[in-house]
Amino acid sequence: MTATIERGAATAPVASPKAAPSARTPKKSGRFLGSSNGKKVVMAVTGAVMVIFLLSHMAGNLKIVLGKDAFNEYAHALRTMLEPYVPYRAMLTLVEIALVVSVVLHMWAAISLARRARQARPVKYVAKKSQANGYATHIMRFGGITIALFVIWHLLDLTFGVVNPKGFDSTPADRMVAGFDASRWWVTLIYVVAVVMVGLHLRHGIWSGFQTLGWANHTRNRALRPLAGLVAAVLVVGFLIPPLAITFGVIK
Amino acid sequence: MNYTEGPEIRDTKAPSGPIEERWEKRKFSAKLVNPANKRKLTVIVVGTGLAGGSAAATLGELGYNVKSFCYQDSPRRAHSIAAQGGINAAKNYRGDGDSVYRLFYDTVKGGDFRARESNVYRLAEVSVNIIDQAVAQGVPFAREYGGLLDTRSFGGAQVSRTFYARGQTGQQLLLGAYQALERQVAAGTVTMHTRHEMLDLIVSDGRARGIIVRDMVTGEIERHLADAVVLATGGYGNVFYLSTNAKGCNTTAIWRAHERGAYFANPCYTQIHPTCIPVSGEYQSKLTLMSESLRNDGRVWVPLKKNDTRAPGDIPEEERDYYLERIYPSFGNLVPRDIASRAAKNVCDEGRGVGPGGLGVYLDFRDAIARLGRDAVEKKYGNLFEMYERITGENPYDVPMRIYPAVHYTMGGLWVDYDLQSTVPGLFVIGEANFSDHGANRLGASALMQGLADGYFVLPTTIGDYLASGPYGDVDEEAVAEAEVKVRTKIDRLLSVNGDRTPDSFHRELGKLMWDFCGMERTEESLRKALDRIPELREEFWQNVKVSGTAEELNQVLEKAGRVADFFDLAELMCLDALVRSESCGGHFRAESQDADGEALRDDEHFAHVSAWEHSPDGPVLHKEPLEYEYVKMTQRSYK
Amino acid sequence: MNLTLKVWRQSGPKDAGRMVTYRVEDVSPDMSFLEMLDVLNERLIVEGDDPIAFDHDCREGICGMCGMVINGVPHGEQRATTTCQLHMRHFEDGAVITIEPWRAAPFPVVKDLVVDRSSFDRIIQAGGFVSVPAGSAPDAHSVPVRKEDADDAFDAATCIGCGACVAACPNGSASLFTAAKITHLSLLPQGQPERLTRAKAMVEQMDAEGFGGCTNTGECTAVCPKGISLDTIAQMNSDYLKANAK
């Protein structure tokens, strides 16, 4: 009796690596956005757009310190930017579109990465202890959701005036002052919580963006980490001055 | 144990003529396999360390159809990964007078004139290609500020020929080979079988034609057939239970090949490394080596008085015995491994050892710290000190380290000719698993060199000569079935004993016995005692071992039991070989054969040969391969 | 010392698995963690129970075979230490210790604490090498390498492939493992020709295996027994971006 050698294949039943994706399978093009790394790049870029927006938004808000007129003029200027070359509100609309796109993409990337993460760990640990403070883990996703909810409230309150005591037909400065009136202290409280959340989100997020884009390393981190903290702190302080000043009656 | 002596055995493959032309000649005379035929030829490679990993990768690159096996979960984990020191190569990048000839000379002399000149010369010759290959693969060797490779002098060599990657040279070289191997897996030339253990060799028509393996996850017994089989399964130091080997290292693959006809050469040659962390208790599962470089600045001592229980700091200078400096004034703490190890054993036998059980000597950095400053010592040895502290909980900056010798490497292994082919045609053996290049003692930084020389450069050439002479026809199904039945029977037998001792408890007892009677110092009496005791213990094993679980699952107890069973048989052959070789040479020290100063005394008249043992049901048969030295004159080593 | 162990037991891939409590007594503080489990297993075998299956091999912290999540931390809380090098002196008498396997979909449990990490091998297969057949290499000194680059490459190359990074990552990402290999080869001249294709192929393979994405939490580097830096992930991101920009 003889047995022949089966060339090129296992001669006996061999447990195949469970439908494991074989290495080097040609990937279809355009995988970049589908890849986990690509999604992170989307987060980094859209995050950067939003940080720039927040900085200018904060600067604008601080105009209220100079008086209601200054603030209203600023709000008006946003709408008449580059007139008469472009129609009324054109630039602002463009900025708004860019922001909406950024928010949507940022959230899409976050949600799909979170879903990926859940699939990557179907069985949870009985005991799990963070060794890196757990800061980024908890703050980023939980914070992101909190911020998203706040943005909806914030738009309804101060942009569309739906939940603002002064309603839509008022000047921006009136809406702001009315919105943060001492009687509505809880609005201010929500605002404070949200702004602090934004700060915490950015403290990690700004550095994380650099890391994702491949610009961070341990030498640069000595500057990048403090920079992220500084930007986050400036934003928190800058955003909190107007509402607190209004609530405590400094600005009327 | 009875043995008989059979006819002499000779290596018929090494060409004659000037030694520097022999490898060139052999490469030219070796038949070539037509490229189109290569992919029709299957080669099995067992083991994925430096030798097996590099061989499988290279055979795959050449176009053979390769099947690679390892017991670990990934080929990257083979124990070559733990080699610390470095790799020798006769590059002479320092211009300090090194050459292929000098490396050859040092290796033959270091092996105490028990290695073949032709093989060693080839090893030295090929060493330079290894460095080129590794660098091209991206192995991050240490470099100097000029961007060129750094080298150091290692293990008492007088030239600086050791290339290194911090203390992790083995890891980096293995990852290079592993990456080359995975590249071939992706290319489809190599099929990788991890968590598979070879349990028998299939010999059909007198040729090695395949292996029987057990899938360690499912327990399935599989047969894999091929045109040639390569064993790269490492050494058998774990016969001593405690050694610096990985826990999984075992002799099963080479032992079962030995039972199928491969001669086992010089089984008694074991290397004991002097600087390991001592045993701390009964539960000790392995020993950890610390780089020999520590002896460059550390001073070795024990108390002058017996059973001195004072803390080392309380023992005044005049009551300390710096015994290496005392006995070997010119080499001092830097004497070769075997000498340092034996000296430590001697002082401990005198009752002057330190630490638990009195099995340790101090390696003291007090003077080095005083002379160089703590920072300089930290810079040089910081990671080693950390490792020591992690394991012992003692800080070597304040308290001297305790060290003790441990089994580290086995020079013996399956007998191979110049082509690295065993006495079973078609069975090739490479790396530590063969016996070929280190004689009776291996020099530091030579193991990595041999593994890679065999795997990248020697075997891929010589195996072609064997394969080109084929094809060797179909494999006899009866031979396959017989091997499979034998494997299953052994497994069933292990599972059916159902006694009350674990395989580990037997292994520990066997290891202690081997260490006491066939360790650093061997006597006729001790070896005879071991030869009496081993069969008794083996008998008890087969009567009383307890293997839990079943054969059809991941069963680490069953794996262990099978390996221990083979260790018993190997241990017996080791003791027999040590008994028959009544001279001292290299790592084999027979107390009866020493000079007036207590140094190892070779007996070239009676023992200038390789002892190749044939397995036979009537007891082992000894075949001697005479060793001739045309180039290096035989001398007695002296390190005084 | 006496300890209570809560150990994950799972007879095979199809078993649901559960935590089982064991008492171990007279543990010596000089024992390693694995030796403590050895002693427990010896007892289990003699009593006819199934011993706890766990992977281990070199027991000197370099092969990368061992690994379990001890009290919620891969390889335990002792930094820069593999499970096999962790010693019992770091635990208190009477302590309760939970022991779990690496948890990740691409690391399916084989038995008890043993997981299948072949996904790591496949990531290397995708491109974690320099294509240089044996015998084809030029002289080692033909290409000088800056010492700093060689040292940084070495740091990245010390990865032992144990998988603790994946086990610690809240996203189950293999970014640190993949990035360590990409960085090792990216920093050396020998790795340049395949640099971008390598990064792309390896990152895509990592995704294909089902690992999560990196969110820069830094959990991986904190538990890495070799202290592989997050810098490697930035390097991987940079190479991957460049590869896609082409």
Side-chain angles (χ1 to χ4, degrees):
Chain A
M1 279 211 301
T2 57
T4 47
I5 301 177
E6 202 182 301
R7 309 285 179 189
T11 25
V14 174
S16 64
K18 303 163 280 347
S22 66
R24 288 255 158 135
T25 38
K27 300 289 181 331
K28 54 179 186 289
S29 58
R31 279 246 333 142
F32 181 70
L33 287 186
S35 74
S36 56
N37 264 46
K39 284 174 185 151
K40 284 296 292 177
V41 171
V42 168
M43 288 193 91
V45 172
T46 54
V49 169
M50 290 187 280
V51 169
I52 292 167
F53 161 74
L54 284 177
L55 284 169
S56 51
H57 183 11
M58 176 201 74
N61 280 7
L62 287 172
K63 297 265 179 193
I64 196 80
V65 178
L66 304 177
K68 283 188 176 181
D69 291 344
F71 187 74
N72 285 336
E73 272 166 34
Y74 153 74
H76 185 67
L78 284 180
R79 287 157 179 79
T80 56
M81 215 189 303
L82 286 188
E83 272 191 359
Y85 304 105
V86 296
Y88 178 73
R89 228 181 172 285
M91 286 313 291
L92 188 60
T93 308
L94 273 180
V95 170
E96 281 168 354
I97 290 170
L99 276 176
V100 169
V101 169
S102 292
V103 169
V104 169
L105 284 177
H106 200 82
M107 285 171 58
W108 163 76
I111 291 165
S112 77
L113 281 167
R115 185 181 300 148
R116 220 191 141 76
R118 213 170 38 242
Q119 285 164 352
R121 179 154 301 135
V123 184
K124 303 273 172 278
Y125 288 107
V126 173
K128 183 75 177 73
K129 203 163 173 187
S130 169
Q131 294 296 290
N133 308 322
Y135 179 86
T137 320
H138 300 299
I139 285 297
M140 297 312 279
R141 267 175 209 151
F142 174 65
I145 294 165
T146 319
I147 295 164
L149 290 175
F150 169 74
V151 167
I152 295 168
W153 160 266
H154 185 62
L155 292 175
L156 291 175
D157 182 11
L158 297 175
T159 307
F160 302 112
V162 180
V163 294
N164 190 280
K166 290 275 177 181
F168 184 69
D169 296 324
S170 54
T171 67
D174 284 346
R175 280 205 294 276
M176 190 183 204
V177 172
F180 294 117
D181 187 82
S183 65
R184 289 182 15 125
W185 57 270
W186 49 276
V187 173
T188 310
L189 190 64
I190 291 175
Y191 193 90
V192 170
V193 169
V195 166
V196 169
M197 213 47 113
V198 169
L200 295 176
H201 195 83
L202 292 187
R203 193 183 137 202
H204 175 73
I206 292 174
W207 169 78
S208 183
F210 284 105
Q211 169 80 1
T212 297
L213 295 174
W215 297 335
N217 60 41
H218 63 276
T219 322
R220 290 185 194 166
N221 283 349
R222 284 201 284 271
L224 287 178
R225 295 262 192 194
L227 175 74
L230 182 71
V231 172
V234 165
L235 281 170
V236 170
V237 172
F239 271 116
L240 287 185
I241 287 173
L244 290 177
I246 293 167
T247 307
F248 288 101
V250 182
I251 294 171
K252 289 191 175 103
Chain B
M1 194 179 194
N2 293 321
Y3 77 97
T4 48
E5 196 167 331
E8 270 187 5
I9 183 175
R10 295 272 178 169
D11 168 26
T12 55
K13 301 286 177 51
S16 53
I19 199 160
E20 59 279 0
E21 289 168 16
R22 288 180 193 169
W23 178 227
E24 204 54 50
K25 264 192 188 165
R26 181 67 191 119
K27 279 195 282 187
F28 185 70
S29 67
K31 279 182 245 166
L32 297 175
V33 180
N34 178 330
N37 285 339
K38 280 184 184 154
R39 88 188 109 82
K40 297 187 204 149
L41 292 165
T42 301
V43 181
I44 284 173
V45 182
V46 188
T48 57
L50 284 181
S54 61
T58 308
L59 293 172
E61 285 162 5
L62 289 172
Y64 294 106
N65 174 33
V66 181
K67 289 181 177 187
S68 169
F69 295 83
C70 66
Y71 72 76
Q72 297 90 344
D73 74 329
S74 163
R76 66 180 292 150
R77 311 209 192 278
H79 199 55
S80 305
I81 203 144
Q84 298 172 359
I87 177 165
N88 286 332
K91 279 284 196 187
N92 193 27
Y93 278 158
R94 296 266 167 188
D96 56 0
D98 197 13
S99 64
V100 168
Y101 198 88
R102 188 175 294 280
L103 177 55
F104 155 69
Y105 178 91
D106 289 353
T107 308
V108 169
K109 180 171 176 241
D112 219 0
F113 301 94
R114 291 293 176 263
R116 269 188 214 137
E117 280 191 331
S118 300
N119 284 54
V120 176
Y121 191 89
R122 175 178 64 190
L123 176 66
E125 196 178 336
V126 167
S127 68
V128 297
N129 305 113
I130 297 171
I131 302 301
D132 299 341
Q133 179 65 20
V135 165
Q137 285 173 341
V139 171
F141 282 120
R143 286 181 184 266
E144 295 178 321
Y145 282 100
L148 301 179
L149 293 166
D150 192 16
T151 54
R152 59 186 175 193
S153 137
F154 195 79
Q158 287 161 307
V159 289
S160 202
R161 65 159 77 100
T162 305
F163 295 79
Y164 65 100
R166 270 178 238 172
Q168 297 163 29
T169 318
Q171 181 196 28
Q172 293 309 319
L173 289 169
L174 183 64
L175 292 182
Y178 158 73
Q179 287 161 207
L181 177 62
E182 293 297 350
R183 182 167 85 94
Q184 293 309 307
V185 173
T189 61
V190 177
T191 328
M192 191 66 230
H193 303 269
T194 59
R195 292 197 197 269
H196 277 67
E197 182 166 36
M198 169 178 160
L199 293 179
D200 209 350
L201 179 74
I202 298 169
V203 179
S204 159
D205 261 346
R207 294 178 187 279
R209 294 304 299 272
I211 56 174
I212 304 288
V213 297
R214 180 172 178 272
D215 178 329
M216 294 156 76
V217 174
T218 64
E220 196 160 357
I221 303 297
E222 302 171 1
R223 37 169 79 177
H224 293 267
L225 306 183
D227 298 283
V229 176
V230 180
L231 297 187
T233 54
Y236 49 88
N238 271 352
V239 69
F240 292 91
Y241 185 72
L242 288 180
S243 82
T244 66
N245 285 3
K247 289 296 285 175
C249 294
N250 65 82
T251 189
T252 292
I254 55 171
W255 187 258
R256 298 196 182 174
H258 171 60
E259 290 181 333
R260 290 279 175 198
Y263 291 5
F264 206 123
N266 301 332
C268 77
Y269 290 167
T270 26
Q271 182 167 76
I272 315 259
H273 197 287
T275 48
C276 297
I277 300 176
V279 174
S280 67
E282 264 299 298
Y283 48 80
Q284 187 95 23
S285 63
K286 86 151 266 156
L287 296 171
T288 304
L289 178 107
M290 286 190 305
S291 171
E292 216 165 1
S293 62
L294 288 169
R295 287 197 282 144
N296 288 340
D297 287 300
R299 296 180 70 196
V300 178
W301 65 275
V302 289
L304 265 177
K305 277 196 299 193
K306 282 183 190 179
N307 305 318
D308 193 334
T309 52
R310 286 176 291 177
D314 297 339
I315 302 178
E317 196 63 24
E318 61 277 9
E319 290 177 44
R320 298 177 173 199
D321 179 14
Y322 294 90
Y323 60 90
L324 286 178
E325 297 168 25
R326 172 171 59 79
I327 309 173
Y328 308 99
S330 64
F331 275 73
N333 295 299
L334 291 173
V335 290
R337 290 176 179 179
D338 50 338
I339 291 173
S341 295
R342 218 168 47 246
K345 176 185 163 33
N346 290 341
V347 294
C348 291
D349 286 351
E350 289 166 21
R352 298 194 287 141
V354 297
L359 293 175
V361 299
Y362 289 124
L363 179 63
D364 200 338
F365 286 85
R366 188 193 62 182
D367 297 348
I369 291 170
R371 176 164 46 92
L372 307 164
R374 192 185 149 120
D375 285 351
V377 170
E378 188 173 343
K379 214 167 186 172
K380 253 174 148 168
Y381 305 112
N383 54 346
L384 293 167
F385 279 31
E386 233 169 71
M387 178 172 88
Y388 180 85
E389 190 173 0
R390 200 176 295 139
I391 293 171
T392 62
E394 291 174 0
N395 179 353
Y397 294 104
D398 304 331
V399 190
M401 284 184 177
R402 285 174 298 111
I403 55 166
Y404 199 64
V407 175
H408 175 54
Y409 189 90
T410 48
M411 281 75 68
L414 293 186
W415 185 91
V416 291
D417 60 19
Y418 190 67
D419 281 0
L420 305 179
Q421 185 167 216
S422 72
T423 48
V424 177
L427 177 69
F428 292 78
V429 190
I430 59 178
E432 191 180 348
N434 75 24
F435 87 108
S436 69
D437 296 352
H438 305 297
N441 177 49
R442 180 177 65 75
L443 291 179
S446 282
L448 302 184
M449 173 171 68
Q450 186 222 340
L452 290 179
D454 287 0
Y456 280 132
F457 300 108
V458 180
L459 176 90
T461 306
T462 58
I463 202 172
D465 184 65
Y466 173 79
L467 292 169
S469 309
Y472 297 107
D474 286 340
V475 181
D476 180 4
E477 167 64 24
E478 272 171 52
V480 182
E482 188 266 327
E484 200 179 313
V485 168
K486 192 176 160 201
V487 164
R488 287 185 192 280
T489 311
K490 192 157 196 173
I491 290 175
D492 290 345
R493 202 176 149 204
L494 286 168
L495 283 163
S496 65
V497 177
N498 202 20
D500 51 24
R501 275 186 74 178
T502 63
D504 260 330
S505 86
F506 281 106
H507 192 185
R508 251 193 307 269
E509 189 172 344
L510 173 68
K512 175 136 193 356
L513 201 144
M514 288 299 283
W515 180 248
D516 289 343
F517 298 138
C518 189
M520 269 183 284
E521 185 174 302
R522 299 145 177 194
T523 63
E524 179 168 350
E525 192 198 346
S526 75
L527 292 165
R528 288 200 186 280
K529 225 182 263 174
L531 283 169
D532 284 342
R533 186 71 193 106
I534 293 167
E536 291 168 15
L537 193 60
R538 176 173 46 210
E539 182 61 22
E540 195 199 336
F541 173 84
W542 285 107
Q543 298 296 326
N544 197 23
V545 72
K546 169 92 180 182
V547 180
S548 52
T550 68
E552 289 80 33
E553 58 175 337
L554 176 72
N555 187 339
Q556 294 174 323
V557 190
L558 177 63
E559 293 161 17
K560 188 65 201 269
R563 295 169 190 170
V564 173
D566 291 328
F567 277 134
F568 277 116
D569 296 341
L570 167 74
E572 208 176 5
L573 188 66
M574 284 174 74
C575 292
L576 177 65
D577 186 45
L579 181 67
V580 172
R581 189 173 284 278
S582 60
E583 66 159 353
S584 296
C585 62
H588 169 62
F589 186 81
R590 280 289 298 265
E592 299 91 339
S593 179
Q594 48 183 310
D595 64 17
D597 300 320
E599 298 304 329
L601 193 62
R602 276 200 331 264
D603 176 358
D604 293 331
E605 196 189 327
H606 298 100
F607 291 101
H609 63 250
V610 174
S611 303
W613 295 91
E614 179 189 357
H615 184 81
S616 135
D618 311 322
V621 182
L622 172 63
H623 301 270
K624 292 177 180 168
E625 181 199 334
L627 290 167
E628 281 136 24
Y629 292 88
E630 295 173 56
Y631 292 87
V632 188
K633 201 172 149 277
M634 290 173 106
T635 50
Q636 202 71 27
R637 292 192 307 166
S638 172
Y639 293 94
K640 290 250 162 176
Chain C
M1 52 206 277
N2 299 325
L3 302 165
T4 304
L5 306 183
K6 295 188 168 177
V7 186
W8 181 260
R9 299 303 308 263
Q10 182 176 345
S11 63
K14 293 202 179 94
D15 182 21
R18 69 214 66 84
M19 299 298 281
V20 177
T21 305
Y22 299 94
R23 294 273 308 153
V24 283
E25 277 144 22
D26 293 330
V27 173
S28 156
D30 286 328
M31 276 182 180
S32 74
F33 198 83
L34 297 186
E35 284 167 349
M36 183 271 295
L37 288 180
D38 287 343
V39 171
L40 170 62
N41 273 346
E42 292 270 288
R43 201 185 79 200
L44 292 178
I45 295 167
V46 171
E47 289 170 0
D49 279 340
D50 207 16
I52 301 161
F54 60 90
D55 266 332
H56 64 100
D57 204 19
C58 77
R59 296 208 179 187
E60 46 187 284
I62 193 78
C63 76
M65 187 104 171
C66 69
M68 39 190 91
V69 176
I70 301 167
N71 286 338
V73 184
H75 292 306
E77 277 192 77
Q78 196 70 15
R79 291 259 165 149
T81 303
T82 54
T83 304
C84 63
Q85 296 255 285
L86 178 65
H87 280 69
M88 297 314 294
R89 66 180 75 93
H90 300 296
F91 295 87
E92 274 165 28
D93 189 21
V96 179
I97 304 174
T98 43
I99 308 175
E100 297 174 78
W102 288 173
R103 293 281 186 211
F107 286 173
V109 172
V110 176
K111 184 178 181 180
D112 297 340
L113 305 171
V114 176
V115 299
D116 177 355
R117 285 170 290 198
S118 53
S119 46
F120 270 13
D121 288 334
R122 289 189 293 273
I123 291 176
I124 299 296
Q125 282 160 30
F129 46 73
V130 176
S131 299
V132 48
S136 62
D139 184 84
H141 270 181
S142 58
V143 184
V145 181
R146 267 178 11 115
K147 180 173 167 53
E148 293 80 359
D149 290 342
D151 287 349
D152 288 349
F154 177 88
D155 286 339
T158 55
C159 167
I160 57 174
C162 64
C165 47
V166 174
C169 178
N171 307 310
S173 172
S175 286
L176 195 66
F177 168 79
T178 310
K181 186 48 61 194
I182 289 175
T183 302
H184 159 209
L185 298 174
S186 265
L187 291 173
L188 295 171
Q190 289 80 7
Q192 296 312 309
E194 294 165 294
R195 178 173 179 171
L196 299 185
T197 49
R198 173 186 308 118
K200 193 163 188 301
M202 289 180 74
V203 168
E204 284 171 1
Q205 188 65 32
M206 173 177 79
D207 277 359
E209 294 290 345
F211 289 105
C214 172
T215 54
N216 305 326
T217 63
E219 296 286 348
C220 51
T221 185
V223 302
C224 176
K226 301 295 151 183
I228 305 284
S229 154
L230 284 186
D231 289 7
T232 59
I233 297 184
Q235 178 75 50
M236 168 175 80
N237 293 341
S238 165
D239 284 1
Y240 183 72
L241 256 181
K242 282 180 197 146
N244 277 283
K246 278 208 161 179

